[in-house]
Amino acid sequence: MANNSYKNPSMKQLDILKTENEIERSHYPILLQAQKAWENIEHFRQKRKRNRDYTYGKQWNDLIKLPDGRVVSEEQYIREQGKVPLKNNLIRQMVKAVLGQFRNNQTQPVCIARDRQEQSLGELMSTAVQYAYQHNRLQELDSRTLEEFLISGICFQKIGYGHRRGKTDVWVDEINPNRIFFNAMEDSRHWDCTLIGELHDMSIAEVISRFSFGSRARAIQLRNIYSEADNETIRHNFENLTAKAIDRLDFFMPANQDMCRVIEIWKLESREVLNCHDFRSGEYYHIPVTEAEDINKENRKRVHEARTSGQPEETAQLIETEWSIMQTWRYRFFSPLGDLLDEGETPYWHGEHPYVFKLYPLIDGEVHAFVEDVIDQQRYINRLITMIDFIMGSSAKGVLLFPEDQIPDGMTIEDIADEWTKHFIPSQTGLSHAPANSGQRHTSGSL
């Protein structure tokens, strides 16, 4: 058999290399590129926050400038007038109606083989997919992801494989759009994505467990990098059940000072490779150009074997190579200071990043959500009912205006008020007056 040591190193060999090397900062420009991508979608995060506020009832938070120069929210301005900012939330009802339809029509995933002779493999794959669907609670997760899509116009999920909750399995996670960054795209299929990543907030224990690779020396380096994080007081001052932390998210600093910010970046990169065709084994693969000498050494070995066995050199089954440029997805994990915690090529068979996402509609690169289309109608309804409340609160009630020159002789204005408040009660014989004190007495003024 041929010696295949020149092929790409295994994951175990990569881990050995990671534990032996010091944590470096040579990839800092990639971190700055990711920061720029995150800052460039700040306008989207602000629009998403506004859509979310309108969906969940905070519909008077838009800022207005008063004649005196103050900038206040619409709610504060209305309350300063002594009124209550009323609202009739129709957006939430529309979102719940769509989610209800989605939940009622959910079905189990099924894999169908195109070749009828391989239908048994399709059934086996269906069982595997349904298991992953159930243990990840995707029925609930997909509903929440759809709700996010209706509110913001984008949604992200991440599919990975690893050890969690006591078992090693496939895991699907929903990613908050405020933590995501990506490059500018125009293709509605998102095939022009070349940069994507997310912001993680981890405890110091998680960071050491994830990036020490079994090396105590490397764990000490990580502890020195995140020296400000305190595992004992973690989350003690964390505001719970509020969106304040996610709304004031920063690229480098975690929302909670006791957490460690880890920045995950996936980037599509180009590199020189040699496309190799091994005529002995029939394999077709690629290697870095730096390993070309290994191929030459293997070919010389095969020629020597053919010569010693008495066969012509032309019969030796060699490895043919061709220079080429190849694009591959590489992942990197950074600390806020630019320390490279981990890196490597994508481990997935499809050769892509692990994110599944949708930006809608992405016409000219713009995102517009379902909720965004009905905000103006919602504002009109809220203004209308608030204006009616203003009118009712300011209108005169229980006041009778009667011209003085029309008062009959022998009557006073009090007599007219008494007669005005009387009402007729039908009887069997006709109409009769009710007692004067049965109605509300209104005094009147004169014009």
Side-chain angles (χ1 to χ4, degrees):
M1 296 294 291
N3 181 13
N4 294 329
S5 61
Y6 53 82
K7 294 185 180 180
N8 293 333
S10 64
M11 296 301 295
K12 183 176 181 180
Q13 290 173 324
L14 289 175
D15 290 342
I16 294 175
L17 294 175
K18 292 172 182 177
T19 57
E20 291 177 350
N21 295 335
E22 293 288 328
I23 298 177
E24 57 175 330
R25 294 186 179 178
S26 60
H27 298 264
Y28 196 73
I30 297 179
L31 180 61
L32 295 180
Q33 183 180 3
Q35 180 194 13
K36 185 65 175 178
W38 191 80
E39 291 176 348
N40 285 344
I41 56 175
E42 173 64 23
H43 62 92
F44 161 76
R45 289 189 288 271
Q46 294 297 329
K47 184 168 66 173
R48 173 184 177 273
K49 179 179 181 298
R50 184 171 184 257
N51 293 350
R52 184 198 65 199
D53 288 344
Y54 271 90
T55 301
Y56 296 112
K58 298 179 182 178
Q59 300 177 347
W60 293 102
N61 283 353
D62 288 353
L63 299 180
I64 57 176
K65 186 174 182 179
L66 302 183
D68 59 5
R70 290 189 302 142
V71 177
V72 298
S73 66
E74 292 178 330
E75 179 178 1
Q76 180 181 348
Y77 176 72
I78 294 174
R79 292 190 182 279
E80 288 179 357
Q81 310 303 312
K83 303 297 181 181
V84 178
L86 302 176
K87 52 185 176 292
N88 181 17
N89 194 348
L90 301 180
I91 297 179
R92 179 61 175 157
Q93 302 302 322
M94 295 173 60
V95 171
K96 289 169 66 176
V98 175
L99 293 179
Q101 289 293 324
F102 176 75
R103 288 181 180 274
N104 291 335
N105 292 291
Q106 278 188 320
T107 57
Q108 289 288 343
V110 177
C111 300
I112 301 176
R114 293 187 177 182
D115 189 347
R116 296 184 62 87
Q117 296 180 356
E118 297 181 352
Q119 186 59 36
S120 58
L121 297 178
E123 295 174 356
L124 181 63
M125 183 61 68
S126 297
T127 302
V129 173
Q130 289 174 11
Y131 164 76
Y133 189 91
Q134 292 171 1
H135 94 90
N136 281 286
R137 308 294 191 270
L138 285 183
Q139 184 172 5
E140 177 64 24
L141 191 65
D142 288 346
S143 297
R144 298 276 69 81
T145 302
L146 176 60
E147 186 170 11
E148 173 65 49
F149 183 72
L150 296 174
I151 293 173
S152 65
I154 73 173
C155 58
F156 286 84
Q157 288 187 353
K158 186 178 183 181
I159 304 174
Y161 181 83
H163 187 79
R164 191 191 304 179
R165 301 175 66 89
K167 61 180 179 180
T168 302
D169 215 320
V170 176
W171 301 99
V172 181
D173 299 305
E174 182 185 12
I175 309 299
N176 191 297
N178 278 15
R179 295 187 176 273
I180 285 286
F181 53 87
F182 44 85
N183 65 289
M185 289 177 279
E186 297 179 2
D187 190 345
S188 60
R189 300 165 298 183
H190 316 317
W191 288 359
D192 53 349
C193 178
T194 59
L195 175 71
I196 190 171
E198 66 173 305
L199 308 178
H200 299 275
D201 287 341
M202 303 181 181
S203 67
I204 184 61
E206 290 179 273
V207 172
I208 294 176
S209 174
R210 171 66 177 81
F211 301 108
S212 63
F213 307 114
S215 170
R216 180 175 176 82
R218 189 178 177 89
I220 294 175
Q221 295 182 54
L222 293 171
R223 193 64 184 90
N224 293 333
I225 291 173
Y226 294 101
S227 58
E228 298 297 326
D230 187 355
N231 193 39
E232 295 181 357
T233 60
I234 190 167
R235 296 188 178 92
H236 281 187
N237 299 321
F238 189 75
E239 291 185 88
N240 203 0
L241 300 180
T242 176
K244 293 181 180 179
I246 200 69
D247 287 340
R248 58 171 180 251
L249 206 62
D250 182 79
F251 185 81
F252 289 110
M253 299 301 296
N256 185 356
Q257 61 182 359
D258 297 328
M259 301 291 281
C260 304
R261 171 56 53 82
V262 176
I263 304 163
E264 179 180 0
I265 303 174
W266 289 75
K267 192 172 186 295
L268 185 62
E269 300 179 351
S270 301
R271 63 172 183 170
E272 296 181 69
V273 296
L274 291 177
N275 295 326
C276 304
H277 186 191
D278 191 340
F279 283 86
R280 174 181 292 182
S281 63
E283 291 182 277
Y284 189 83
Y285 56 91
H286 60 269
I287 62 172
V289 293
T290 55
E291 300 180 9
E293 183 57 32
D294 295 334
I295 298 294
N296 296 332
K297 185 185 298 185
E298 177 66 19
N299 284 337
R300 289 193 297 267
K301 178 182 176 182
R302 295 184 182 185
V303 170
H304 177 71
E305 290 175 351
R307 187 184 303 116
T308 55
S309 62
Q311 299 178 359
E313 295 182 2
E314 294 78 8
T315 61
Q317 295 177 320
L318 304 180
I319 302 176
E320 292 187 356
T321 61
E322 180 185 38
W323 179 90
S324 178
I325 293 292
M326 180 180 181
Q327 287 189 317
T328 58
W329 280 95
R330 292 187 62 84
Y331 65 87
R332 294 177 178 87
F333 290 85
F334 288 94
S335 75
L337 299 177
D339 304 285
L340 185 61
L341 307 180
D342 190 13
E343 70 166 330
E345 287 190 12
T346 174
Y348 304 106
W349 65 267
H350 50 69
E352 295 280 342
H353 56 76
Y355 296 97
V356 180
F357 62 98
K358 180 62 180 177
L359 313 179
Y360 179 85
L362 211 63
I363 302 299
D364 295 335
E366 295 184 350
V367 172
H368 298 285
F370 171 79
V371 167
E372 182 182 346
D373 296 335
V374 292
I375 284 183
D376 288 340
Q377 291 89 332
Q378 179 69 68
R379 289 175 58 83
Y380 174 77
I381 294 173
N382 293 344
R383 286 174 178 268
L384 183 61
I385 62 177
T386 303
M387 182 177 63
I388 293 174
D389 184 63
F390 275 24
I391 294 174
M392 293 178 62
S394 302
S395 61
K397 294 179 286 294
V399 176
L400 171 63
L401 299 180
F402 196 89
E404 291 182 341
D405 56 355
Q406 298 298 321
I407 298 177
D409 295 337
M411 295 187 68
T412 64
I413 192 66
E414 287 77 12
D415 297 332
I416 294 177
D418 289 338
E419 292 294 328
W420 192 271
T421 56
K422 292 179 181 179
H423 60 278
F424 292 96
I425 301 177
S427 63
Q428 294 181 352
T429 57
L431 299 179
S432 63
H433 280 287
N437 58 1
S438 64
Q440 183 179 358
R441 178 184 177 91
H442 298 273
T443 59
S444 63
S446 59
L447 292 177

